[in-house]
Amino acid sequence: MNAKRVLLYLFLLLVLGTGLSAWYFHHLVHSPQSPESSKEIVRISPGQSFKSIAYHLESMGLIDNATVMYYWGWLQGKATKVQAGHFQVDAQWSMQEMLEHLSTGREQLLRLQIPEGAAWWDVARILEKRELASFEEFQGVVKDKDFLEEMGIHASSAEGFLYPETYYISPSRDVGAEKLARIMINQFWKSTSDLWGEMSFDEIYDMVNKASLIEKETGIAPERRKISGVFHNRLESNMLLQCDPTIIYGLGEDFEGRLRRRHLDDRDNPYNTYHHRGFPPTPICSPGRASIEAALDPQEHGYYYFVSRNDGTHHFSKTLQEHNRAVYRYQIMVR
Protein backbone atom coordinates (compact mmCIF):
# COMPACT_ATOMS: atom_id res chain seq x y z
CA MET A 1 0.00 0.00 0.00
CA ASN A 2 2.81 2.40 0.89
CA ALA A 3 4.51 1.69 -2.41
CA LYS A 4 1.26 2.29 -4.29
CA ARG A 5 0.75 5.56 -2.47
CA VAL A 6 4.26 6.69 -3.30
CA LEU A 7 3.72 5.82 -6.96
CA LEU A 8 0.36 7.64 -6.92
CA TYR A 9 1.92 10.71 -5.34
CA LEU A 10 4.74 10.63 -7.89
CA PHE A 11 2.22 10.28 -10.70
CA LEU A 12 0.18 13.20 -9.37
CA LEU A 13 3.32 15.29 -8.99
CA LEU A 14 4.30 14.39 -12.54
CA VAL A 15 0.86 15.37 -13.85
CA LEU A 16 0.89 18.56 -11.80
CA GLY A 17 4.43 19.39 -12.92
CA THR A 18 3.57 18.71 -16.54
CA GLY A 19 0.44 20.80 -16.23
CA LEU A 20 2.31 23.65 -14.60
CA SER A 21 5.05 23.44 -17.23
CA ALA A 22 2.48 23.42 -20.01
CA TRP A 23 0.69 26.38 -18.45
CA TYR A 24 3.95 28.27 -18.01
CA PHE A 25 5.02 27.45 -21.58
CA HIS A 26 1.63 28.58 -22.86
CA HIS A 27 1.88 31.74 -20.78
CA LEU A 28 5.34 32.55 -22.21
CA VAL A 29 4.32 32.21 -25.83
CA HIS A 30 0.96 33.99 -25.56
CA SER A 31 1.82 36.87 -23.23
CA PRO A 32 3.02 40.29 -24.46
CA GLN A 33 6.81 40.32 -24.50
CA SER A 34 6.88 43.95 -23.38
CA PRO A 35 4.39 46.16 -21.51
CA GLU A 36 5.02 48.97 -24.00
CA SER A 37 4.69 49.12 -27.77
CA SER A 38 7.98 49.38 -29.64
CA LYS A 39 8.01 48.73 -33.38
CA GLU A 40 11.18 47.39 -34.93
CA ILE A 41 12.21 46.16 -38.36
CA VAL A 42 13.52 42.59 -38.35
CA ARG A 43 15.63 41.45 -41.30
CA ILE A 44 15.56 37.74 -42.10
CA SER A 45 18.09 36.55 -44.66
CA PRO A 46 17.33 33.85 -47.24
CA GLY A 47 18.25 30.45 -45.83
CA GLN A 48 18.62 31.75 -42.27
CA SER A 49 17.90 29.03 -39.70
CA PHE A 50 14.95 29.38 -37.39
CA LYS A 51 17.23 28.98 -34.39
CA SER A 52 19.33 31.97 -35.40
CA ILE A 53 16.14 33.95 -36.07
CA ALA A 54 14.91 33.22 -32.53
CA TYR A 55 18.20 34.32 -30.98
CA HIS A 56 18.25 37.41 -33.21
CA LEU A 57 14.81 38.39 -31.88
CA GLU A 58 16.09 37.86 -28.33
CA SER A 59 19.19 40.01 -28.98
CA MET A 60 16.92 42.81 -30.23
CA GLY A 61 14.92 42.64 -27.00
CA LEU A 62 11.78 41.56 -28.83
CA ILE A 63 11.36 38.22 -27.01
CA ASP A 64 12.45 37.03 -23.57
CA ASN A 65 13.47 33.46 -24.35
CA ALA A 66 14.87 32.31 -27.68
CA THR A 67 14.81 28.65 -26.64
CA VAL A 68 11.06 28.75 -25.95
CA MET A 69 10.50 30.51 -29.28
CA TYR A 70 12.56 27.89 -31.08
CA TYR A 71 10.72 24.86 -29.68
CA TRP A 72 7.32 26.53 -29.99
CA GLY A 73 7.99 27.23 -33.66
CA TRP A 74 8.72 23.56 -34.31
CA LEU A 75 5.73 22.38 -32.26
CA GLN A 76 3.48 24.69 -34.31
CA GLY A 77 5.00 23.52 -37.59
CA LYS A 78 5.98 27.08 -38.52
CA ALA A 79 9.74 26.94 -38.06
CA THR A 80 10.25 26.13 -41.73
CA LYS A 81 7.64 28.64 -42.93
CA VAL A 82 9.30 31.83 -41.75
CA GLN A 83 9.98 33.97 -44.82
CA ALA A 84 13.01 36.00 -45.82
CA GLY A 85 12.55 39.74 -45.91
CA HIS A 86 12.11 42.83 -43.75
CA PHE A 87 9.23 42.66 -41.28
CA GLN A 88 7.90 45.18 -38.81
CA VAL A 89 7.17 43.62 -35.43
CA ASP A 90 6.08 45.06 -32.11
CA ALA A 91 7.79 44.22 -28.81
CA GLN A 92 4.32 44.21 -27.23
CA TRP A 93 3.32 41.22 -29.32
CA SER A 94 3.42 37.69 -27.95
CA MET A 95 5.79 35.08 -29.37
CA GLN A 96 2.78 33.46 -31.05
CA GLU A 97 1.87 36.74 -32.79
CA MET A 98 5.45 37.25 -33.95
CA LEU A 99 5.63 33.71 -35.25
CA GLU A 100 2.37 34.13 -37.17
CA HIS A 101 3.52 37.43 -38.65
CA LEU A 102 6.94 36.16 -39.72
CA SER A 103 5.48 33.06 -41.36
CA THR A 104 2.37 34.54 -42.97
CA GLY A 105 2.62 38.33 -42.68
CA ARG A 106 3.47 40.78 -45.44
CA GLU A 107 7.01 42.04 -45.67
CA GLN A 108 7.62 45.60 -44.53
CA LEU A 109 8.21 47.52 -47.75
CA LEU A 110 10.72 50.33 -47.92
CA ARG A 111 9.48 53.75 -49.01
CA LEU A 112 11.84 55.19 -51.61
CA GLN A 113 11.13 58.67 -52.95
CA ILE A 114 12.78 59.82 -56.18
CA PRO A 115 12.02 63.54 -56.61
CA GLU A 116 11.17 65.26 -59.87
CA GLY A 117 14.15 66.95 -61.43
CA ALA A 118 16.76 64.54 -60.04
CA ALA A 119 19.79 63.83 -62.24
CA TRP A 120 21.05 60.25 -62.35
CA TRP A 121 23.77 61.10 -59.83
CA ASP A 122 21.17 62.48 -57.41
CA VAL A 123 19.33 59.16 -57.65
CA ALA A 124 22.60 57.27 -57.13
CA ARG A 125 23.29 59.25 -53.95
CA ILE A 126 19.80 58.52 -52.63
CA LEU A 127 20.24 54.79 -53.23
CA GLU A 128 23.68 54.76 -51.66
CA LYS A 129 22.44 56.64 -48.60
CA ARG A 130 19.63 54.09 -48.20
CA GLU A 131 22.22 51.29 -48.62
CA LEU A 132 20.34 49.87 -51.61
CA ALA A 133 23.12 50.22 -54.20
CA SER A 134 26.52 51.84 -54.40
CA PHE A 135 27.03 55.03 -56.38
CA GLU A 136 29.54 53.34 -58.70
CA GLU A 137 27.28 50.35 -59.41
CA PHE A 138 24.35 52.58 -60.31
CA GLN A 139 26.56 54.75 -62.51
CA GLY A 140 27.68 51.66 -64.38
CA VAL A 141 24.12 50.44 -64.91
CA VAL A 142 22.65 53.73 -66.17
CA LYS A 143 25.41 53.91 -68.78
CA ASP A 144 25.42 50.25 -69.76
CA LYS A 145 24.60 50.11 -73.48
CA ASP A 146 23.22 46.55 -73.46
CA PHE A 147 21.01 47.26 -70.46
CA LEU A 148 19.71 50.48 -72.01
CA GLU A 149 18.87 48.74 -75.29
CA GLU A 150 17.03 46.05 -73.36
CA MET A 151 14.98 48.76 -71.63
CA GLY A 152 14.12 50.47 -74.92
CA ILE A 153 16.47 53.42 -74.43
CA HIS A 154 18.62 54.02 -77.51
CA ALA A 155 20.86 56.61 -75.88
CA SER A 156 24.13 56.94 -73.99
CA SER A 157 22.54 56.92 -70.54
CA ALA A 158 19.25 56.44 -68.71
CA GLU A 159 19.14 60.14 -67.84
CA GLY A 160 15.57 61.37 -68.19
CA PHE A 161 14.05 57.89 -67.81
CA LEU A 162 14.54 57.25 -64.06
CA TYR A 163 10.95 58.12 -63.37
CA PRO A 164 10.34 60.35 -60.31
CA GLU A 165 7.93 58.50 -58.06
CA THR A 166 7.45 57.20 -54.54
CA TYR A 167 8.36 53.52 -54.73
CA TYR A 168 7.57 50.82 -52.19
CA ILE A 169 10.19 48.17 -52.63
CA SER A 170 11.15 44.91 -51.00
CA PRO A 171 14.57 45.35 -49.35
CA SER A 172 15.13 41.60 -49.71
CA ARG A 173 14.26 41.35 -53.42
CA ASP A 174 14.62 44.81 -55.00
CA VAL A 175 18.11 45.69 -53.80
CA GLY A 176 20.85 46.28 -56.34
CA ALA A 177 21.62 48.89 -58.98
CA GLU A 178 20.21 47.02 -61.97
CA LYS A 179 16.98 45.96 -60.25
CA LEU A 180 16.29 49.48 -59.04
CA ALA A 181 17.12 51.09 -62.38
CA ARG A 182 14.85 48.56 -64.07
CA ILE A 183 11.97 49.41 -61.69
CA MET A 184 12.31 53.17 -62.39
CA ILE A 185 12.62 52.83 -66.16
CA ASN A 186 9.69 50.41 -66.33
CA GLN A 187 7.68 52.94 -64.34
CA PHE A 188 8.60 55.64 -66.85
CA TRP A 189 7.22 53.63 -69.78
CA LYS A 190 4.16 52.59 -67.78
CA SER A 191 3.34 56.13 -66.59
CA THR A 192 3.86 57.83 -69.96
CA SER A 193 2.77 55.16 -72.46
CA ASP A 194 -0.44 57.02 -73.30
CA LEU A 195 1.46 60.17 -74.31
CA TRP A 196 3.59 58.95 -77.18
CA GLY A 197 1.18 57.61 -79.79
CA GLU A 198 3.15 56.68 -82.92
CA MET A 199 6.21 58.74 -82.01
CA SER A 200 9.65 57.28 -82.73
CA PHE A 201 12.21 56.95 -79.96
CA ASP A 202 14.13 59.96 -81.29
CA GLU A 203 10.96 62.07 -81.05
CA ILE A 204 10.27 60.75 -77.54
CA TYR A 205 13.85 61.51 -76.56
CA ASP A 206 13.56 65.10 -77.75
CA MET A 207 10.39 65.57 -75.70
CA VAL A 208 12.00 64.06 -72.58
CA ASN A 209 14.99 66.31 -73.17
CA LYS A 210 12.78 69.38 -73.48
CA ALA A 211 10.74 68.30 -70.44
CA SER A 212 13.92 68.01 -68.36
CA LEU A 213 14.71 71.66 -69.11
CA ILE A 214 11.18 72.71 -68.16
CA GLU A 215 11.43 70.68 -64.95
CA LYS A 216 14.62 72.46 -63.91
CA GLU A 217 13.39 75.92 -64.87
CA THR A 218 10.14 75.99 -62.88
CA GLY A 219 8.22 74.27 -60.13
CA ILE A 220 5.16 76.43 -60.75
CA ALA A 221 2.47 74.38 -62.51
CA PRO A 222 0.90 77.24 -64.55
CA GLU A 223 4.33 78.21 -65.92
CA ARG A 224 5.28 74.85 -67.42
CA ARG A 225 3.41 75.19 -70.71
CA LYS A 226 4.42 78.85 -70.93
CA ILE A 227 8.13 78.00 -70.62
CA SER A 228 7.61 75.16 -73.07
CA GLY A 229 6.22 77.76 -75.46
CA VAL A 230 9.33 79.92 -75.04
CA PHE A 231 11.60 77.00 -75.93
CA HIS A 232 9.36 76.15 -78.88
CA ASN A 233 9.46 79.74 -80.14
CA ARG A 234 13.24 79.95 -79.83
CA LEU A 235 13.80 76.67 -81.65
CA GLU A 236 11.39 77.69 -84.41
CA SER A 237 13.33 80.96 -84.81
CA ASN A 238 16.70 79.14 -84.81
CA MET A 239 17.66 80.91 -81.57
CA LEU A 240 19.88 79.49 -78.86
CA LEU A 241 17.91 78.08 -75.91
CA GLN A 242 20.23 79.84 -73.39
CA CYS A 243 19.13 77.64 -70.50
CA ASP A 244 21.28 77.98 -67.37
CA PRO A 245 20.43 74.52 -65.91
CA THR A 246 21.97 72.82 -68.96
CA ILE A 247 25.30 74.50 -68.25
CA ILE A 248 25.14 73.44 -64.62
CA TYR A 249 24.49 69.84 -65.68
CA GLY A 250 27.46 69.95 -68.02
CA LEU A 251 29.70 71.07 -65.15
CA GLY A 252 29.13 67.66 -63.56
CA GLU A 253 27.90 66.02 -60.42
CA ASP A 254 30.26 67.85 -58.06
CA PHE A 255 29.34 71.40 -59.07
CA GLU A 256 27.50 73.18 -56.26
CA GLY A 257 28.52 76.80 -56.80
CA ARG A 258 27.06 79.72 -58.72
CA LEU A 259 27.25 80.16 -62.46
CA ARG A 260 29.95 82.62 -63.46
CA ARG A 261 30.64 84.45 -66.69
CA ARG A 262 33.42 81.95 -67.46
CA HIS A 263 30.84 79.16 -67.35
CA LEU A 264 28.57 80.99 -69.77
CA ASP A 265 31.51 81.60 -72.12
CA ASP A 266 32.77 78.01 -72.04
CA ARG A 267 32.27 76.63 -75.54
CA ASP A 268 33.87 73.30 -74.57
CA ASN A 269 30.89 72.44 -72.38
CA PRO A 270 28.61 70.47 -74.75
CA TYR A 271 25.66 71.35 -72.52
CA ASN A 272 26.24 75.08 -72.90
CA THR A 273 23.07 76.14 -74.70
CA TYR A 274 24.41 79.70 -74.89
CA HIS A 275 26.79 78.48 -77.58
CA HIS A 276 25.38 75.17 -78.90
CA ARG A 277 22.06 75.22 -80.74
CA GLY A 278 19.15 72.94 -80.04
CA PHE A 279 18.72 70.59 -77.11
CA PRO A 280 21.69 69.47 -75.00
CA PRO A 281 23.23 66.04 -75.79
CA THR A 282 21.05 64.31 -73.18
CA PRO A 283 18.24 65.23 -70.80
CA ILE A 284 19.54 66.98 -67.69
CA CYS A 285 17.25 65.27 -65.19
CA SER A 286 14.27 62.93 -65.00
CA PRO A 287 11.15 65.08 -65.44
CA GLY A 288 7.73 64.37 -63.99
CA ARG A 289 4.67 63.70 -66.12
CA ALA A 290 3.44 67.31 -65.85
CA SER A 291 6.63 68.62 -67.46
CA ILE A 292 6.46 65.97 -70.18
CA GLU A 293 2.87 66.99 -70.94
CA ALA A 294 4.00 70.62 -71.11
CA ALA A 295 6.79 69.69 -73.52
CA LEU A 296 4.27 67.96 -75.77
CA ASP A 297 1.77 70.82 -75.59
CA PRO A 298 3.58 74.19 -75.52
CA GLN A 299 1.47 77.26 -74.94
CA GLU A 300 1.07 79.48 -77.97
CA HIS A 301 2.30 83.01 -77.28
CA GLY A 302 4.86 85.54 -78.46
CA TYR A 303 7.36 85.23 -75.61
CA TYR A 304 11.04 84.48 -76.29
CA TYR A 305 12.59 85.30 -72.92
CA PHE A 306 11.98 84.81 -69.21
CA VAL A 307 13.84 85.70 -66.05
CA SER A 308 13.35 84.69 -62.42
CA ARG A 309 11.56 87.11 -60.11
CA ASN A 310 13.40 85.45 -57.19
CA ASP A 311 10.14 84.18 -55.71
CA GLY A 312 9.81 81.01 -57.76
CA THR A 313 7.94 82.73 -60.62
CA HIS A 314 9.24 84.25 -63.83
CA HIS A 315 8.76 87.42 -65.84
CA PHE A 316 8.18 86.70 -69.54
CA SER A 317 9.21 89.06 -72.34
CA LYS A 318 8.60 89.24 -76.08
CA THR A 319 11.61 91.38 -77.00
CA LEU A 320 15.25 91.46 -75.93
CA GLN A 321 14.87 95.09 -74.85
CA GLU A 322 11.99 94.21 -72.53
CA HIS A 323 13.93 91.19 -71.25
CA ASN A 324 17.00 93.31 -70.44
CA ARG A 325 14.83 95.68 -68.41
CA ALA A 326 13.40 92.71 -66.51
CA VAL A 327 16.88 91.30 -65.86
CA TYR A 328 17.98 94.66 -64.49
CA ARG A 329 14.89 94.90 -62.31
CA TYR A 330 14.83 91.36 -60.90
CA GLN A 331 18.50 90.38 -60.95
CA ILE A 332 20.94 93.27 -61.10
CA MET A 333 18.98 95.59 -58.81
CA VAL A 334 18.60 92.79 -56.26
CA ARG A 335 22.33 92.15 -56.23
Side-chain angles (χ1 to χ4, degrees):
M1 291 296 293
N2 288 335
K4 289 181 178 180
R5 286 178 180 175
V6 169
L7 290 172
L8 179 60
Y9 291 150
L10 289 174
F11 176 75
L12 292 174
L13 286 172
L14 180 62
V15 171
L16 180 62
T18 302
L20 287 172
S21 297
W23 174 86
Y24 181 67
F25 197 78
H26 185 274
H27 175 74
L28 283 178
V29 299
H30 286 92
S31 297
Q33 295 297 286
S34 172
E36 296 181 358
S37 175
S38 176
K39 295 180 180 179
E40 302 287 345
I41 300 295
V42 177
R43 182 180 185 275
I44 298 176
S45 303
Q48 186 175 358
S49 70
F50 183 65
K51 186 174 184 178
S52 69
I53 293 170
Y55 279 97
H56 180 55
L57 293 172
E58 184 182 69
S59 69
M60 293 180 68
L62 295 169
I63 62 173
D64 294 329
N65 194 313
T67 303
V68 171
M69 179 73 160
Y70 173 73
Y71 284 112
W72 183 250
W74 282 106
L75 286 171
Q76 292 289 300
K78 294 185 180 296
T80 58
K81 296 180 180 179
V82 174
Q83 304 169 25
H86 288 65
F87 300 87
Q88 181 174 276
V89 300
D90 195 324
Q92 203 172 33
W93 289 355
S94 66
M95 289 187 191
Q96 176 64 29
E97 288 174 310
M98 288 190 192
L99 188 61
E100 289 287 341
H101 184 68
L102 294 177
S103 58
T104 62
R106 294 180 60 184
E107 181 180 13
Q108 178 71 19
L109 298 180
L110 180 68
R111 185 176 183 270
L112 176 66
Q113 187 170 11
I114 305 301
E116 295 175 344
W120 70 260
W121 53 71
D122 298 318
V123 178
R125 287 169 180 152
I126 292 171
L127 299 182
E128 186 167 68
K129 186 176 181 180
R130 302 298 294 273
E131 299 182 348
L132 297 172
S134 73
F135 185 96
E136 291 75 17
E137 288 173 338
F138 194 74
Q139 181 180 25
V141 169
V142 299
K143 296 185 178 182
D144 184 279
K145 184 177 179 180
D146 292 335
F147 172 72
L148 294 173
E149 288 291 329
E150 179 190 345
M151 300 305 295
I153 301 173
H154 314 301
S156 60
S157 81
E159 190 70 276
F161 295 85
L162 303 170
Y163 196 69
E165 181 65 273
T166 299
Y167 297 93
Y168 291 89
I169 65 172
S170 164
S172 62
R173 293 189 294 273
D174 298 331
V175 176
E178 184 175 320
K179 286 184 178 180
L180 291 163
R182 190 180 298 274
I183 288 171
M184 295 175 205
I185 295 170
N186 282 334
Q187 189 62 45
F188 169 87
W189 291 118
K190 179 181 178 181
S191 298
T192 65
S193 61
D194 62 308
L195 300 177
W196 308 124
E198 300 298 321
M199 293 174 64
S200 67
F201 177 78
D202 287 344
E203 291 172 318
I204 293 172
Y205 196 72
D206 281 347
M207 287 302 102
V208 173
N209 204 339
K210 182 181 179 183
S212 73
L213 274 58
I214 296 168
E215 190 70 64
K216 297 300 284 188
E217 287 286 12
T218 186
I220 307 298
E223 285 193 349
R224 290 192 180 101
R225 289 187 62 236
K226 202 169 186 178
I227 287 178
S228 179
V230 171
F231 290 145
H232 176 80
N233 291 344
R234 294 182 74 89
L235 289 172
E236 285 289 299
S237 300
N238 199 31
M239 295 173 66
L240 293 163
L241 290 180
Q242 296 184 319
C243 177
D244 290 356
T246 64
I247 300 177
I248 294 171
Y249 185 88
L251 292 172
E253 61 205 66
D254 296 323
F255 180 77
E256 295 180 353
R258 289 183 58 185
L259 276 181
R260 305 293 182 184
R261 172 53 61 181
R262 68 178 184 275
H263 299 136
L264 298 177
D265 293 338
D266 183 8
R267 294 175 179 271
D268 293 331
N269 181 348
Y271 289 84
N272 188 339
T273 51
Y274 280 79
H275 289 285
H276 304 292
R277 295 189 183 281
F279 295 123
T282 70
I284 60 172
C285 70
S286 287
R289 181 181 169 102
S291 290
I292 296 173
E293 290 176 341
L296 288 164
D297 185 26
Q299 188 179 103
E300 293 185 15
H301 53 58
Y303 297 118
Y304 288 84
Y305 307 91
F306 59 89
V307 63
S308 172
R309 290 193 179 103
N310 297 306
D311 62 357
T313 66
H314 294 83
H315 178 90
F316 293 81
S317 302
K318 295 181 179 180
T319 66
L320 180 59
Q321 185 179 19
E322 180 187 351
H323 175 64
N324 287 337
R325 287 198 299 267
V327 169
Y328 182 81
R329 176 182 177 184
Y330 293 111
Q331 297 295 317
I332 298 174
M333 284 284 288
V334 171
R335 293 174 192 170

